[in-house]
Amino acid sequence: AQKITQTQPGMFVQEKEAVTLDCTYDTSDPSYGLFWYKQPSSGEMIFLIYQGSYDQQNATEGRYSLNFQKARKSANLVISASQLGDSAMYFCAMREGYSGGSNYKLTFGKGTLLTVNP
Amino acid sequence: GAVVSQHPSRVICKSGTSVKIECRSLDFQATTMFWYRQFPKQSLMLMATSNEGSKATYEQGVEKDKFLINHASLTLSTLTVTSAHPEDSSFYICSARRGVREKLFFGSGTQLSVL
């Protein structure tokens, strides 16, 4: 079974509107972290937001918020007030285990290509 | 600004040659660096975990003699693709961890094309 599932290969949104990118995960480890990264056409991976499994509140970073539903094992990314520069690939990723552990590696989903229309 | 520098950003080489890719953490010491490979329109696949002063830990299916990783200092890890072949053509991207609880910072990636 895939550890990270992103069911939307592509999404379109109108400029200034909000958009939700889906991500579900699968792990039996009680300690884990969830990440969202943006990858523009240039290739670099840009960190957007992080949610720890024990965090009580949903993470927010500017226009980005993470809708963390632990029981459903989902960690959807919400981008508010979309901008043209938001057009990019978006990857959801998971780190299993304690963040201070030596086995620190990320498993990535297949990504969602977001296109913001003017 | 970027905290992880990766060089070169693009390389074209002939089949059979070796290519070295460098990954540097610019303003922090990274005891652990990670190397990923990404095919066009695909996800990132972890190749290996590079630990300073010790041998790299390779993921299943990754040939360690093909992809040589050296982490000689706390700020530099290198990936050498030995005897490159066209099937090695891919986007390679490194990442580094700053501190125990910090997120990973990624380099800008290297597009390798083997002719």
Side-chain angles (χ1 to χ4, degrees):
Chain A
Q2 287 189 355
K3 289 185 177 290
I4 295 288
T5 302
Q6 294 180 254
T7 58
Q8 308 153 315
M11 285 285 285
F12 293 88
V13 66
Q14 209 63 29
E15 192 179 7
K16 299 181 183 179
E17 292 185 349
V19 63
T20 298
L21 306 183
D22 295 341
C23 173
T24 57
Y25 59 92
D26 182 27
T27 181
S28 58
D29 200 314
S31 180
Y32 54 89
L34 297 158
F35 302 75
W36 277 93
Y37 283 88
K38 171 184 177 182
Q39 187 179 42
S41 57
S42 59
E44 61 185 311
M45 294 289 284
I46 302 169
F47 168 78
L48 297 179
I49 199 166
Y50 169 80
Q51 180 86 41
S53 59
Y54 295 117
D55 293 342
Q56 296 294 317
Q57 294 185 328
N58 287 348
T60 60
E61 291 280 351
R63 294 187 298 111
Y64 305 106
S65 61
L66 200 150
N67 184 2
F68 182 45
Q69 297 189 39
K70 197 170 184 177
R72 296 180 58 187
K73 293 189 174 180
S74 73
N76 299 339
L77 176 70
V78 180
I79 305 175
S80 62
S82 297
Q83 301 172 355
L84 295 178
D86 293 336
S87 294
M89 278 291 285
Y90 288 80
F91 290 97
C92 179
M94 177 174 65
R95 179 217 73 240
E96 292 180 277
Y98 170 52
S99 64
S102 58
N103 185 27
Y104 188 109
K105 62 182 183 182
L106 298 187
T107 303
F108 286 82
K110 293 186 176 182
T112 296
L113 179 61
L114 176 66
T115 303
V116 181
N117 294 317
Chain B
V3 295
V4 175
S5 173
Q6 187 171 341
H7 179 80
S9 59
R10 181 177 295 273
V11 59
I12 302 172
C13 69
K14 291 182 179 179
S15 184
T17 60
S18 294
V19 175
K20 180 184 284 188
I21 303 170
E22 292 187 349
C23 181
R24 295 181 183 272
S25 56
L26 297 182
D27 60 355
F28 64 98
Q29 294 181 332
T31 54
T32 306
M33 290 186 175
F34 304 87
W35 287 95
Y36 289 85
R37 182 174 182 176
Q38 186 181 27
F39 290 104
K41 300 183 180 180
Q42 298 291 319
S43 184
L44 279 74
M45 300 298 295
L46 180 66
M47 297 175 66
T49 301
S50 170
N51 299 298
E52 188 267 337
S54 64
K55 291 182 179 180
T57 302
Y58 290 83
E59 295 299 301
Q60 190 173 10
V62 178
E63 297 177 60
K64 60 181 180 181
D65 295 329
K66 175 75 170 174
F67 300 99
L68 300 179
I69 291 173
N70 185 288
H71 196 154
S73 76
L74 287 172
T75 59
L76 174 65
S77 177
T78 60
L79 168 66
T80 301
V81 183
T82 61
S83 186
H85 290 284
E87 57 266 29
D88 298 325
S89 298
S90 187
F91 188 71
Y92 295 87
I93 191 165
C94 71
S95 67
R97 183 179 171 190
R98 183 175 67 182
V100 172
R101 295 182 183 276
E102 293 254 13
K103 59 185 179 289
L104 293 184
F105 292 92
F106 283 82
S108 55
T110 298
Q111 182 64 51
L112 170 64
S113 299
V114 184
L115 304 179

